[in-house]
């Protein structure tokens, strides 16, 4: 039952799925999926921010597990077309968690539209999810503050080693900064109860957020 539910939902951390995972005897108080992230903050020709493009690469164990049972022309190798149904389920499931992306523009909450241009690709046996979160409308902003995290800390994010965040089309005055907070070792001694009964007003995973800042 766990295998059948986990593969198609992938990042869909619904309450029912989480309960099934936590019921497994091997479940531990730490993330179950690890993601290496690269993102691009996009601006238009007028210097207004229009959205953010995410590129999330999953760990090898999860990549292997997620593709179990999928059909492909070449065994063990999947094209974008073959992975597209799985990509759609991923993106749809992430809506409940605001696509793990929280933001403020000049101190005001960033309002994103539904994802566009999403697809999964396989490279060196790892799956990478690509998708763009457009803002509801372009914003001329002096400060951008983005937090990337899973509130349940079921999925752990880390910046890629090289150029994890880039600016595309930003005004020349814009300066980028990144901060990784939290220590994975902090959660190893915690009870699974914190994951089973998360507090929506004080999400546990926020302390492990990858923080992105832009000042123009």
């Amino acid at each position: 039952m766990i295998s059948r539910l986990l593969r198609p939902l992938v990042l869909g951390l619904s309450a029912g799925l989480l309960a099934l995972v936590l019921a497994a005897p091997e479940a531990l108080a730490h993330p179950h999926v690890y993601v290496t992230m690269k993102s691009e903050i996009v601006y238009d020709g007028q210097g207004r921010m229009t959205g953010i493009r995410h590129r999330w690469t999953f760990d090898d164990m999860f990549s292997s597990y997620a593709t179990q049972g999928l059909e492909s022309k070449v065994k063990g190798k999947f094209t974008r077309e073959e992975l597209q149904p799985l990509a759609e389920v991923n993106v749809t499931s992430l809506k409940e968690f605001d696509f793990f992306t929280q933001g403020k523009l000049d101190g005001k909450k960033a309002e994103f539209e539904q994802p566009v241009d999403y697809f999964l690709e396989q490279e060196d046996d790892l799956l990478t999810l690509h998708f763009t979160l457009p803002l509801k409308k372009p914003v001329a902003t002096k400060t951008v503050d983005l937090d990337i995290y899973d509130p349940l800390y079921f999925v752990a994010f880390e910046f890629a080693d090289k150029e994890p965040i880039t600016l595309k089309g930003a005004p020349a005055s814009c300066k980028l900064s990144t901060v990784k907070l939290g220590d994975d070792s902090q959660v190893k001694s915690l009870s699974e109860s914190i994951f089973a009964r998360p507090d929506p007003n004080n999400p546990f995973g926020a302390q492990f957020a990858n923080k992105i800042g832009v000042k123009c």
Side-chain angles (χ1 to χ4, degrees), residues 42-200:
V42 184
Y43 293 77
D44 65 12
Q46 300 179 45
R48 301 175 300 178
M49 180 180 168
T50 61
I52 181 169
R53 293 180 185 141
H54 286 310
R55 182 180 186 274
W56 295 349
T57 300
F58 302 106
D59 63 84
D60 54 353
M61 290 184 63
F62 183 78
S63 295
S64 175
Y65 186 75
T67 54
Q68 286 182 10
L70 293 182
E71 295 184 0
S72 61
K73 292 182 179 179
V74 179
K75 185 177 180 180
K77 304 296 180 182
F78 300 89
T79 65
R80 288 188 188 181
E81 291 73 21
E82 291 166 340
L83 291 169
Q84 190 60 21
L86 190 59
E88 184 172 356
V89 172
N90 271 259
V91 170
T92 301
S93 300
L94 286 170
K95 181 179 180 180
E96 181 181 354
F97 299 91
D98 296 324
F99 308 98
F100 296 156
T101 305
Q102 301 291 333
K104 289 186 177 181
L105 309 179
D106 287 338
K108 297 181 180 179
K109 181 177 175 60
E111 300 290 341
F112 292 103
E113 294 280 11
Q114 296 301 303
V116 297
D117 303 329
Y118 56 85
F119 62 92
L120 272 169
E121 66 177 357
Q122 183 190 46
E123 184 176 356
D124 296 329
D125 296 326
L126 299 180
L127 292 181
T128 297
L129 176 65
H130 299 253
F131 67 100
T132 298
L133 280 179
L135 291 171
K136 288 189 175 181
K137 61 180 181 180
V139 178
T141 177
K142 293 185 179 300
T143 63
V144 178
D145 296 289
L146 297 171
D147 287 359
I148 313 299
Y149 67 93
D150 171 13
L152 301 181
Y153 204 49
F154 186 91
V155 179
F157 290 87
E158 66 175 5
F159 289 127
D161 292 335
K162 296 182 179 179
E163 295 188 326
I165 311 298
T166 56
L167 303 179
K168 183 174 179 60
S173 61
C174 294
K175 303 300 181 183
L176 176 68
S177 64
T178 60
V179 178
K180 170 61 179 176
L181 296 180
D183 178 359
D184 181 56
S185 64
Q186 295 175 15
V187 298
K188 294 188 183 298
S189 61
L190 296 178
S191 166
E192 283 288 357
S193 63
I194 194 169
F195 296 94
R197 295 186 293 276
D199 178 0

Side-chain angles (χ1 to χ4, degrees), residues 24-39:
E26 66 273 16
L28 302 174
H30 58 72
H32 293 71
V33 180
Y34 292 85
V35 172
T36 300
M37 59 173 286
K38 299 188 74 168
S39 298

